[in-house]
Amino acid sequence: MLRMVLVLIFVGILWVTVGRDPRLVERQKQRASQGKPAHSVVGDPQPQVAVDIQGVIEEARAAPPEFAADALIRIAQSTKITDQDQKRELLEEAFHVASGAQHEMARSAASGGVVDTRSGYLANAFRHQLDALSLRCRAVRALLSVDKQMARTLFSQIPKPSPKPLTCEDALVYDLSSFYATLHQVLKEGFSQKDIAEGRVAELLEPYVRGITSPVEVGPVAEAILAVDLPPSQLNLLVQTLSMALKKLPPDDRSFSYSLARYPVVQIVDQLALTCKEKGISNDELLEAFRTYLVNQLSSSRCADTKMEMRSETALPAVVEYFNTALMGKAFPGQKKMWLISPDEIKPSKIGGSAKIEPYWRSSKAKDLLTRLQKLRFNPKAREYTLGEKKEPDWQRGLIELMNDLEAWSAREEKSEADYFHQKCVLLTRLLELLPADDSMREGILSSFVAFLSDSPTYRESRIEWFQHVHDLIRWARSRQDTERVKVLKLLRDSGNSVLVLYAHLEELIPERQ
């Protein structure tokens, strides 16, 4: 116990002496000189002064690009900003700031994946849409309700995503869902019937259709063509462009298998073929190109872990069965005969490897800490300890020993800094969930957790992974009683880390929905 108290006192001294962000201190001085309320700093005896929205905007502008853009978008979409011109300016600023984000585009786990892995935590971090592409798209979507013309203009400035081919060892696949969701929304809300008739929609779409570089784009692009009721001549041009792109698309089993699991690709192409037929446009070239695409992808080198119903040499994958039965029935009357896809055509040229997964809790130290934590939750009869049992000396002794060992644990004992960071954050979070709200140790764990977040190298190396646990801590506090939430937010405000201060203020002024 004494060791833990000493550790926390030492951490507190570090916060005061070296931990405070100079930019934060400088902004507080500037605000004081302007007669504005300064935010509380470490050691303030006075209660926290309510922060104003303009102060949070300035804090956002001083933050790293992904956090700056995220905060500005969140502020612009809130009821705190009522002036439409200011909303527009903040969203445009966020759009341009987003280009400096560490990650260019989001990625998802290839086949669902296991969360407790290196790739699993990175995939979870990407869900917060803090990559450059997703942030820009969020700004554009928000702008559609403020200034449709500006939204269109900014969207046209986003470089077309060009995901690279993947290997079977890749555990993450490019996720362009945010980009194509934005494209659909721009098409539906940003163009008038006159724009459609004059070909502006087709003009916007054509580069995306022609520039397909990965199977993950096939379904979303075909869906984008269907998003607006195009005149037959424009639809025909886009379908021909899509057909040429499908024939040229190189094999990429990791992306192809993911696209079939993520999007109803064959059903979307089915609907596109039917729309062509209804408008009197030949769909022969589309169906032939899609057939070529399927055969090329399925007959190339396949990954050992892709789930394509490879039950036997004669069994057909579901996507092929659908093509042979439902899709071929949409062929335009009178067109040349097209052959069904046979099992022989789609035999893989070879079977490659599987996704490279780095599971957590494998090192002796991490495994020991997790096991001991689980023993503090469940008794030998696999029943959770009661509140009364947690107050007994043996249980408290086990808790203190675990906390001391957790403090002594270092990144040198794990394969990477990120591995250490994620596992330690998980253990700290579970400790918080384990302790009763009135337990005196809980505040010490909270302080230790915030100090760990404030000073982690992961903040510099992979900001979105670092933020995953910041977000989780704030969400945890939001689900507790108000006193717990207030306590956590004060620790974040007093941390000296400018990003933690920013998100504490955002939570106070514009709390996210659960």
Side-chain angles (χ1 to χ4, degrees):
M1 179 68 183
L2 178 61
R3 180 181 175 184
M4 186 66 189
V5 170
L6 291 174
V7 167
L8 292 177
I9 292 174
F10 178 68
V11 169
I13 294 171
L14 283 179
W15 288 350
V16 176
T17 56
V18 300
R20 292 173 59 190
D21 190 308
R23 296 176 301 178
L24 178 59
V25 175
E26 184 60 32
R27 287 201 303 278
Q28 290 168 339
K29 290 179 180 178
Q30 291 174 357
R31 290 175 62 76
S33 67
Q34 297 168 3
K36 297 179 180 179
H39 312 318
S40 78
V41 294
V42 179
D44 271 353
Q46 299 84 9
Q48 171 72 11
V49 178
V51 65
D52 62 272
I53 197 66
Q54 189 56 43
V56 180
I57 291 173
E58 293 306 316
E59 289 175 349
R61 286 170 173 158
E66 45 275 277
F67 304 130
D70 177 54
L72 292 174
I73 293 168
R74 189 165 156 185
I75 292 167
Q77 291 185 296
S78 74
T79 57
K80 300 292 182 181
I81 304 296
T82 56
D83 182 78
Q84 293 297 94
D85 288 338
Q86 189 177 13
K87 284 181 179 287
R88 183 186 304 108
E89 290 169 3
L90 289 173
L91 291 170
E92 185 178 11
E93 181 179 355
F95 177 88
H96 293 297
V97 167
S99 63
Q102 276 183 332
H103 294 274
E104 181 184 356
M105 65 183 84
R107 300 184 78 168
S108 293
S111 57
V114 179
V115 175
D116 273 350
T117 63
R118 188 179 297 171
S119 56
Y121 275 96
L122 182 54
N124 272 347
F126 273 121
R127 292 178 182 176
H128 294 289
Q129 298 191 344
L130 295 177
D131 59 283
L133 182 61
S134 296
L135 285 165
R136 286 178 159 190
C137 289
R138 286 172 55 193
V140 168
R141 291 198 298 272
L143 265 170
L144 281 168
S145 61
V146 179
D147 187 331
K148 288 181 172 54
Q149 182 57 50
M150 177 175 281
R152 281 172 51 180
T153 300
L154 291 184
F155 186 79
S156 67
Q157 294 176 15
I158 301 176
K160 183 207 165 294
S162 298
K164 299 178 177 65
L166 302 176
T167 69
C168 288
E169 287 193 347
D170 286 306
L172 298 180
V173 180
Y174 293 106
D175 182 356
L176 306 181
S177 56
S178 178
F179 176 79
Y180 284 105
T182 307
L183 174 58
H184 292 179
Q185 197 169 339
V186 169
L187 293 174
K188 290 182 176 181
E189 300 180 23
F191 290 85
S192 64
Q193 288 300 316
K194 181 181 178 183
D195 291 328
I196 295 172
E198 293 178 352
R200 291 191 177 90
V201 168
E203 184 179 340
L204 173 67
L205 271 175
E206 196 273 339
Y208 301 116
V209 180
R210 173 170 38 84
I212 292 175
T213 60
S214 170
V216 299
E217 298 176 276
V218 173
V221 166
E223 199 170 30
I225 297 173
L226 289 166
V228 180
D229 186 16
L230 295 168
S233 60
Q234 296 179 25
L235 177 63
N236 186 42
L237 178 62
L238 290 175
V239 168
Q240 289 179 354
T241 305
L242 175 61
S243 300
M244 288 187 288
L246 286 173
K247 290 180 178 179
K248 295 187 298 183
L249 202 57
D252 177 354
D253 187 48
R254 178 61 71 211
S255 298
F256 173 72
S257 297
Y258 171 82
S259 72
L260 295 184
R262 181 68 183 268
Y263 303 104
V265 179
V266 68
Q267 288 88 345
I268 295 170
V269 174
D270 184 347
Q271 184 58 49
L272 185 56
L274 180 60
T275 301
C276 288
K277 187 174 181 179
E278 291 172 346
K279 293 195 173 189
I281 301 169
S282 171
N283 57 27
D284 180 63
E285 187 175 357
L286 172 65
L287 294 176
E288 186 177 24
F290 191 60
R291 185 188 192 282
T292 300
Y293 166 72
L294 292 178
V295 170
N296 286 344
Q297 299 294 328
L298 292 168
S299 64
S300 68
S301 175
R302 307 296 309 283
C303 300
D305 56 352
T306 53
K307 307 296 184 182
M308 290 302 304
E309 299 183 32
M310 295 159 55
R311 300 183 297 270
S312 69
E313 292 186 3
T314 58
L316 291 172
V319 62
V320 175
E321 290 180 348
Y322 191 101
F323 178 87
N324 284 348
T325 56
L327 194 55
M328 289 301 292
K330 304 298 189 303
F332 196 87
Q335 298 299 306
K336 67 179 183 180
K337 181 174 178 58
M338 195 177 306
W339 299 104
L340 303 181
I341 299 176
S342 68
D344 287 339
E345 287 183 277
I346 56 172
K347 286 182 180 178
S349 59
K350 69 175 183 177
I351 301 297
S354 299
K356 186 178 180 181
I357 303 295
E358 297 282 353
Y360 284 166
W361 315 111
R362 294 298 178 90
S363 73
S364 58
K365 184 70 172 183
K367 188 187 301 183
D368 173 66
L369 291 169
L370 181 62
T371 300
R372 289 163 60 189
L373 179 66
Q374 290 169 338
K375 288 181 178 179
L376 287 174
R377 181 179 179 185
F378 298 103
N379 66 19
K381 295 182 179 180
R383 178 181 57 79
E384 287 198 42
Y385 283 103
T386 65
L387 293 179
E389 289 171 333
K390 290 179 181 179
K391 296 183 184 297
E392 293 178 358
D394 285 347
W395 194 92
Q396 289 286 319
R397 189 180 305 110
L399 173 65
I400 293 170
E401 290 174 355
L402 176 62
M403 290 171 62
N404 286 335
D405 288 346
L406 187 57
E407 287 291 331
W409 187 25
S410 73
R412 293 189 299 273
E413 298 174 79
E414 300 299 321
K415 288 184 178 180
S416 74
E417 177 67 41
D419 293 349
Y420 164 72
F421 174 74
H422 287 307
Q423 291 174 106
K424 185 165 182 176
C425 285
V426 169
L427 291 170
L428 288 168
T429 301
R430 292 185 183 177
L431 271 174
L432 289 175
E433 295 169 348
L434 191 66
L435 289 173
D438 62 350
D439 194 298
S440 59
M441 300 293 286
R442 191 155 160 175
E443 189 165 350
I445 295 172
L446 272 174
S447 298
S448 179
F449 196 173
V450 172
F452 179 64
L453 289 171
S454 301
D455 197 37
S456 172
T458 305
Y459 171 74
R460 297 179 295 274
E461 295 170 3
S462 183
R463 292 192 285 262
I464 65 169
E465 292 185 76
W466 174 84
F467 181 75
Q468 170 71 45
H469 296 286
V470 175
H471 177 273
D472 288 348
L473 178 60
I474 293 175
R475 185 178 60 181
W476 175 85
R478 195 185 302 139
S479 68
R480 306 288 137 176
Q481 295 180 353
D482 284 345
T483 53
E484 197 89 53
R485 177 176 177 272
V486 169
K487 192 180 297 180
V488 170
L489 294 182
K490 185 178 188 306
L491 285 169
L492 295 176
R493 290 194 309 267
D494 292 350
S495 67
N497 181 295
S498 60
V499 177
L500 295 183
V501 174
L502 168 63
Y503 279 91
H505 287 151
L506 285 172
E507 178 64 16
E508 290 172 327
L509 290 175
I510 317 166
E512 285 186 319
R513 295 176 182 176
Q514 287 281 35

